[in-house]
Amino acid sequence: MSKIFYHPRRVEFCETDAARIVHFSAILQYAEQAEHALLRSLGTTVFSYPSDEKKSSISWPRVRVECDFQGAAHFEDELTVAVRVARLGTKSVTYAFQISRATSPIASIVFTNVCCRVYDGAKLESIEIPSELRSRLEEYQAVDFGAV
């Protein structure tokens, strides 16, 4: 059985509209924040330096985002973002997120990111996911994509 990473999140007032309902863009930010928290828990980040020379870095630009809304979240709601790895390619990772309030689903989200080396903050080159990180991500790889 694969692990699931859980990230709690309270809805802030600035993330809502006049009806106190969370703006759709904030839902995508909740998924991104959970992704970042997962990577930090694995000892890395979305922007890291693979060596001491710091002439290049590793980053994870998105190449695909998909979101299905199933409910609304409101100001002060306590949400949980569940994260699994839906697919782990040679150079890319696809995350599956399920955002919920207690037992009520709010949104299902999919992000696909490509592992890239960034040279001098500008030029991107896709690279293989470093083996040490790959093995840590495999622990969160979902056997059943729909089971997030």
Side-chain angles (χ1 to χ4, degrees), residues 48-131:
S48 59
Y49 296 102
S51 66
D52 291 334
E53 61 185 81
K54 296 194 178 191
K55 291 182 182 177
S56 69
S57 58
I58 294 177
S59 190
W60 298 86
R62 301 207 193 299
V63 295
R64 180 172 169 253
V65 175
E66 181 180 318
C67 184
D68 292 318
F69 295 96
Q70 295 125 358
H74 300 84
F75 174 56
E76 293 286 2
D77 280 352
E78 293 183 14
L79 305 178
T80 300
V81 184
V83 185
R84 280 203 177 154
V85 173
R87 182 182 175 282
L88 193 56
T90 304
K91 297 180 177 185
S92 66
V93 60
T94 299
Y95 296 104
F97 304 88
Q98 181 62 55
I99 300 177
S100 59
R101 178 186 55 249
T103 59
S104 300
I106 302 298
S108 297
I109 300 169
V110 176
F111 287 170
T112 300
N113 305 350
V114 174
C115 185
C116 288
R117 186 171 305 279
V118 183
Y119 293 96
D120 297 324
K123 182 183 172 194
L124 295 173
E125 173 190 10
S126 64
I127 61 170
E128 288 189 16
I129 297 170
S131 59

